[in-house]
Amino acid sequence: HQSDYQRVAVGNALLAVVSFLKAHDMATMRTPEVQFLGHVTDGILNANRFSLHAGYRPVAAFDGLTIYSALDGTPVFDNGTQSGFIGVGDAVALLQWLSRYLRGDQGYVSGGDAG
């Protein structure tokens, strides 16, 4: 199914970006979007399900989406029987945001504590 291929391709791209960030000691940045990426990729690696402890306080956010403890056990992407927290379009938008962020573009603002 085409949506499965898109989900796998975009999920792999997210995993590649988080691997890059980890290799360059950037994965622990407090930027909400980077934290969002971390939780999404952890979920992808956890059989497409979020794994969040009960006391997790939201700091991970992107484009109006916030990850919070009630998402524990829910799918990251649609899995055929349950709706996912994000769609492929959301993930592509996150990749585009991360691309601009890593290039140092000045035309956007992070919700983080960078300034």
Side-chain angles (χ1 to χ4, degrees):
H1 193 262
Q2 185 175 2
S3 63
D4 291 335
Y5 297 125
Q6 291 172 337
R7 180 181 50 80
V8 169
V10 171
N12 285 342
L14 292 169
L15 292 170
V17 171
V18 83
S19 293
F20 172 85
L21 294 177
K22 287 178 180 178
H24 295 280
D25 295 323
M26 299 168 63
T28 58
M29 290 187 296
R30 293 175 52 188
T31 305
E33 298 85 356
V34 173
Q35 294 295 308
F36 187 91
L37 171 68
H39 285 292
V40 166
T41 53
D42 285 348
I44 290 169
L45 294 171
N46 187 42
N48 190 42
R49 297 212 175 262
F50 285 106
S51 179
L52 301 158
H53 58 83
Y56 173 73
R57 289 187 6 227
V59 293
F62 172 72
D63 198 29
L65 298 168
T66 302
I67 295 175
Y68 51 97
S69 62
L71 291 173
D72 185 57
T74 61
V76 176
F77 291 107
D78 289 351
N79 65 12
T81 58
Q82 289 180 289
S83 294
F85 177 68
I86 64 170
V88 169
D90 299 316
V92 170
L94 178 60
L95 288 166
Q96 291 169 334
W97 187 93
L98 290 162
S99 173
R100 290 190 310 270
Y101 180 76
L102 292 172
R103 281 195 316 261
D105 283 359
Q106 302 297 313
Y108 70 99
V109 177
S110 168
D113 60 358

